[in-house]
Amino acid sequence: MVRVLRIDRATRDEIIAHARRDHPDEACGVVAGPAGSDRPERFIPMENAERSPTFYRFDSLEQLKIWRAMDDADEEPVVIYHSHTATEAYPSRTDVSYAAEPGAHYVLVSTRDPDRDEFRSYRIVEGQIAEEPVEIV
Amino acid sequence: MAVQVRVPTILRNYTGGAKSVEGSGETLAALLSDLDAHYPGLKGRLVTGDAGDQLHRFVNIYVNDEDVRFLGGLDAKIADGDSVTVLPAVAGGSAAVAGG
């Protein structure tokens, strides 16, 4: 089954803007949506606790707060995004080793080229990477 | 002594699908051992090291609103009525690509 990430233009643009703003550090965040809907609706930029050009990690206390709020609203992280700032928008081995949400779309943005946006989406399940088409709606 | 433990989606195959389970123990280590007796394999996903004495870097565990890494890790004290939350750590980055 080929899965597709359907995301609205405004949310896509917000993810790219966040990545550009935090460049040369990696940026990260989630887009929440109703559980089971596969619709990314609520853009939530997060702190990169590592503040690094080669690593990212959600701040653990911010993550707890946001995950609880999603749970209370019957939402889930539909998109989990982060940026690579000097390499292509493709999951690294580190990204794969941490990927713990088989239902999520893992979005990678690269900011290596200031004039060209790279925005790609993947499923990462049990260590396997599968790129999926992105449909802007 | 009863403590509610919230389990993330990815570990619910160990709890028969339950989002929340109950356990007991005066420290996090004791609580995890108690849980492992009822849900075999669960502890192995949360701790690492030869003696199983370190928290796995792939998970965050909280007692109430605090990350246990700031409460002494597996030695964190647990009291009756506390709530414990397990979340997958969300992390990564391009370093592994750059390093080959």
Side-chain angles (χ1 to χ4, degrees):
Chain A
M1 187 178 70
V2 176
R3 305 203 48 159
V4 175
L5 169 62
R6 283 191 185 80
I7 188 166
D8 63 81
R9 185 170 302 277
T11 306
R12 198 256 333 234
D13 290 350
E14 282 186 294
I15 291 172
I16 292 171
H18 181 205
R20 294 283 182 205
R21 199 160 62 234
D22 284 11
H23 183 92
D25 287 346
E26 294 193 2
C28 57
V30 301
V31 188
S37 72
D38 204 35
R39 290 199 311 268
E41 294 183 347
R42 193 162 67 86
F43 171 67
I44 309 169
M46 296 185 60
E47 289 288 325
N48 176 2
E50 302 283 339
R51 294 184 187 283
S52 159
T54 50
F55 286 111
Y56 83 97
R57 176 184 289 275
F58 285 6
D59 175 82
S60 67
L61 297 181
E62 183 184 31
Q63 186 189 349
L64 177 65
K65 206 172 70 180
I66 287 166
W67 255 243
R68 273 194 186 147
M70 284 195 288
D71 219 38
D72 291 346
D74 204 20
E75 291 176 330
E76 61 190 4
V78 178
V79 166
I80 297 174
Y81 74 86
H82 77 282
S83 62
H84 288 173
T85 58
T87 56
E88 74 171 317
Y90 190 84
S92 68
R93 280 184 303 170
T94 319
D95 295 334
V96 173
S97 67
Y98 275 96
E101 299 282 356
H105 302 269
Y106 283 90
V107 165
L108 271 287
V109 171
S110 176
T111 55
R112 61 182 168 172
D113 184 340
D115 300 319
R116 192 168 67 90
D117 294 330
E118 291 177 58
F119 184 102
R120 295 164 70 180
S121 183
Y122 305 86
R123 292 272 158 179
I124 306 176
V125 180
E126 289 171 1
Q128 299 300 309
I129 302 169
E131 184 160 10
E132 55 187 12
V134 177
E135 194 179 304
I136 307 297
V137 294
Chain B
M1 200 183 92
V3 177
Q4 287 295 323
V5 181
R6 300 195 70 157
V7 180
T9 315
I10 192 141
L11 296 180
R12 286 180 198 155
N13 52 332
Y14 293 96
T15 62
K19 281 173 84 164
S20 180
V21 297
E22 204 171 276
S24 66
E26 292 187 352
T27 63
L28 181 60
L31 173 66
L32 296 185
S33 294
D34 179 62
L35 288 177
D36 204 61
H38 297 96
Y39 310 104
L42 183 59
K43 185 180 178 183
R45 298 292 301 273
L46 304 175
V47 300
T48 185
D50 291 342
D53 55 0
Q54 288 172 298
L55 276 179
H56 211 298
R57 70 181 187 283
F58 295 131
V59 294
N60 295 331
I61 303 180
Y62 308 87
V63 176
N64 301 321
D65 295 332
E66 288 291 331
D67 186 331
V68 297
R69 289 188 176 90
F70 304 115
L71 298 173
L74 288 165
D75 296 327
K77 295 276 182 284
I78 312 265
D80 201 9
D82 279 349
S83 75
V84 172
T85 304
V86 180
L87 293 181
V90 184
S94 61
V97 165

